């Protein structure tokens, strides 16, 4: 932490700031400039609230220089993490494509879509069996029946499964059917739930909360990691901003930022980020170009009759086009599709 004093700070005030820093266990290095004095406070105090220093008379600015997350940090693991999900690698040189409907609706629907996305090159089948809907009157998902259909459709077409778990009471049920547990944007800061996920042996894909900063997102990942589960995958799914032209604002910039700050793989979800079918492919291309380790995208064979998110679901032919285009981009930056 660096403390910059006000230009008119008195010697007495500066000495008091140093005294308080010492009391909190910091070593202090003082550098006296012409106008300002800069105090370097050395030492890790995880519980320390820097605002306690900001409030002291004579302080102009306090700058925190160490990150509050440890296990999620790039410094903790210099090489990016790679997770092996039944032979499908997440992270590393490969770019993995996950695709499927927003929700599992019935057997014909999930089998039709699984076959099409598998043929086009997807490795993981997505589909919600428990849906977090804004309205309690909207389709809530098929529950365990949906999980069974998802698993069997995926197995029929050599796909792995990712599906959302909405609550800690459902973890053991969802774990029975899925390869990757998805935590939805609305649950990113449900800390008791994240702690429970720390005990799971399955990888967890943690979606970014709609109003979460990158630091808050990594702190949520830290909850799962510190619980003992090392397999955390991040997912950028768009954030809420002042812009209303798209469903959310896809924060492509978060991808290189995460790559610099963390060793965890990052997947991009252009469907929920942009919210309308005709713009999903360009956003998928952009995400891969920015360094995403994969894409999760909604695909439906009959989106006009989908029970949820039809307008943002790609037709199977569009998904084939997405695959073709992101493959070219991945190869252009020295990667390949998983
Ligand atoms: C989803 O992927 O089905 C979903 C509900 O996404 P999010 O949590 O990002 O809104
Ligand atoms: Mn959806």
């Amino acid at each position: 932490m660096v403390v910059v004093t006000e230009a008119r700070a008195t010697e007495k005030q500066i000495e008091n700031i140093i005294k308080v820093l010492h009391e909190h266990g910091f070593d202090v290095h003082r550098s006296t400039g012409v106008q300002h004095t800069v105090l370097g406070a050395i030492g890790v105090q995880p519980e320390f609230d820097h605002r306690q220093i900001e409030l002291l008379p004579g302080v102009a600015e306090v700058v925190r220089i160490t990150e509050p997350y440890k296990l999620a940090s790039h410094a903790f693991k210099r090489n990016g993490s790679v997770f092996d999900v039944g032979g499908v690698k997440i992270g590393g040189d490969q770019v993995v494509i996950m695709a499927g409907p927003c929700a599992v609706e019935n057997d014909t629907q999930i089998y039709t879509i699984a076959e099409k996305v598998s043929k086009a090159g997807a490795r993981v089948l997505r589909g919600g069996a428990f849906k977090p809907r804004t309205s309690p009157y909207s389709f809530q998902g098929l529950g365990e029946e949906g999980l069974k259909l998802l698993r069997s459709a995926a197995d029929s077409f050599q796909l792995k499964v990712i599906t959302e778990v909405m609550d800690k009471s459902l973890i053991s049920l969802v774990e029975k059917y899925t390869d990757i547990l998805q935590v939805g944007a609305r649950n990113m800061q449900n800390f008791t739930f994240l702690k429970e996920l720390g005990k799971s042996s399955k990888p967890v894909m943690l979606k970014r909360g709609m109003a979460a900063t990158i630091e808050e997102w990594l702190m949520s990942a830290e909850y799962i990691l510190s619980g003992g589960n090392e397999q955390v995958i991040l997912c950028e799914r768009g954030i809420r901003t002042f812009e209303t032209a798209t469903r959310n604002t896809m924060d492509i910039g978060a991808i290189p930022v995460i790559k610099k700050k963390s060793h965890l793989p990052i997947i991009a979800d252009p469907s929920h980020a942009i919210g309308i079918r005709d713009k999903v492919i360009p956003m998928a291309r952009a995400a891969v170009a920015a360094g995403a380790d994969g894409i999760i995208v909604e695909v439906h064979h009959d989106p006009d009759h989908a029970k949820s998110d039809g307008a943002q679901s790609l037709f199977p032919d569009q998904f084939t086009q997405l695959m073709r285009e992101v493959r070219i981009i991945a190869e252009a930056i020295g990667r390949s599709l998983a």
Side-chain angles (χ1 to χ4, degrees):
M1 180 170 62
V2 172
V3 182
V4 183
T5 65
E6 285 171 349
R8 287 189 304 273
T10 64
E11 185 56 29
K12 211 167 151 205
Q13 288 173 332
I14 296 171
E15 278 168 16
N16 180 53
I17 301 165
I18 295 173
K19 182 172 132 279
V20 175
L21 286 168
H22 281 153
E23 281 167 7
H24 282 100
F26 291 101
D27 280 340
V28 181
H29 294 253
R30 176 175 177 164
S31 149
T32 310
V34 185
Q35 292 226 334
H36 302 272
T37 292
V38 176
L39 305 171
I42 316 287
V44 181
Q45 315 291 341
E47 296 294 316
F48 185 71
D49 182 347
H50 67 277
R51 290 174 302 178
Q52 288 177 274
I53 301 299
E54 230 164 80
L55 285 168
L56 296 175
V59 172
E61 205 183 343
V62 179
V63 186
R64 216 191 51 208
I65 47 177
T66 49
E67 310 289 10
Y69 45 86
K70 304 285 169 232
L71 304 175
S73 73
H74 191 257
F76 181 72
K77 217 169 164 196
R78 297 242 164 237
N79 296 325
S81 280
V82 184
F83 309 131
D84 191 326
V85 182
V88 176
K89 298 241 167 59
I90 315 244
D93 291 338
Q94 293 190 318
V95 175
V96 66
I97 310 296
M98 311 181 183
C102 179
V104 182
E105 297 169 11
N106 55 60
D107 59 351
T108 314
Q109 177 243 19
I110 194 67
Y111 273 81
T112 306
I113 299 170
E115 179 172 18
K116 289 189 185 294
V117 299
S118 172
K119 281 206 172 123
R123 302 302 305 277
V124 182
L125 182 64
R126 64 147 289 147
F130 295 94
K131 294 303 302 174
R133 305 304 302 277
T134 301
S135 165
Y137 308 118
S138 301
F139 177 59
Q140 303 285 307
L142 296 181
E144 185 167 9
E145 184 52 29
L147 294 173
K148 286 184 184 159
L149 292 175
L150 186 64
R151 179 79 260 169
S152 103
D155 289 345
S156 305
F157 299 103
Q158 295 78 50
L159 294 162
K160 300 295 156 205
V161 168
I162 182 165
T163 196
E164 178 161 354
V165 53
M166 271 175 52
D167 184 79
K168 67 177 185 199
S169 64
L170 294 167
I171 297 175
S172 56
L173 173 70
V174 178
E175 270 176 337
K176 282 207 303 206
Y177 298 97
T178 198
D179 299 298
I180 306 171
L181 295 160
Q182 175 175 324
V183 176
R186 292 154 191 81
N187 257 326
M188 191 206 83
Q189 287 191 315
N190 183 342
F191 300 120
T192 46
F193 180 38
L194 300 179
K195 281 185 189 169
E196 281 302 307
L197 290 162
K199 298 179 195 155
S200 176
S201 57
K202 301 262 165 152
V204 175
M205 187 177 84
L206 178 66
K207 290 194 139 195
R208 180 177 183 181
M210 339 196 166
T213 64
I214 291 174
E215 185 171 299
E216 286 163 344
W217 188 16
L218 288 170
M219 289 307 285
S220 290
E222 193 80 8
Y223 265 92
I224 305 171
L225 295 164
S226 62
N229 187 345
E230 291 180 5
Q231 303 189 87
V232 179
I233 302 158
L234 301 168
C235 177
E236 165 59 43
R237 49 79 72 205
I239 49 175
R240 193 163 277 186
T241 67
F242 51 82
E243 182 54 75
T244 54
T246 54
R247 182 175 181 184
N248 290 292
T249 297
M250 183 146 185
D251 186 6
I252 292 283
I255 298 166
V257 171
I258 288 289
K259 285 280 158 208
K260 182 104 192 213
K261 289 185 179 291
S262 179
H263 59 89
L264 300 173
I266 178 165
I267 304 292
D269 176 347
S271 308
H272 290 89
I274 208 82
I276 192 93
R277 187 183 303 139
D278 60 349
K279 297 172 192 73
V280 168
I281 296 178
M283 295 320 291
R285 291 197 305 252
V288 172
D293 297 300
I295 299 292
I296 183 163
V297 66
E298 288 182 342
V299 179
H300 202 291
H301 66 299
D302 183 13
D304 293 342
H305 297 102
K307 289 204 158 126
S308 58
D309 282 348
Q312 68 189 32
S313 299
L314 296 179
F315 286 100
D317 284 353
Q318 291 179 304
F319 178 64
T320 306
Q321 181 193 339
L322 177 150
M323 291 296 296
R324 197 168 50 238
E325 295 182 3
V326 298
R327 177 172 284 115
I328 295 168
I329 292 171
E331 286 168 5
I333 57 170
R335 305 183 82 174
S336 58
L337 291 196

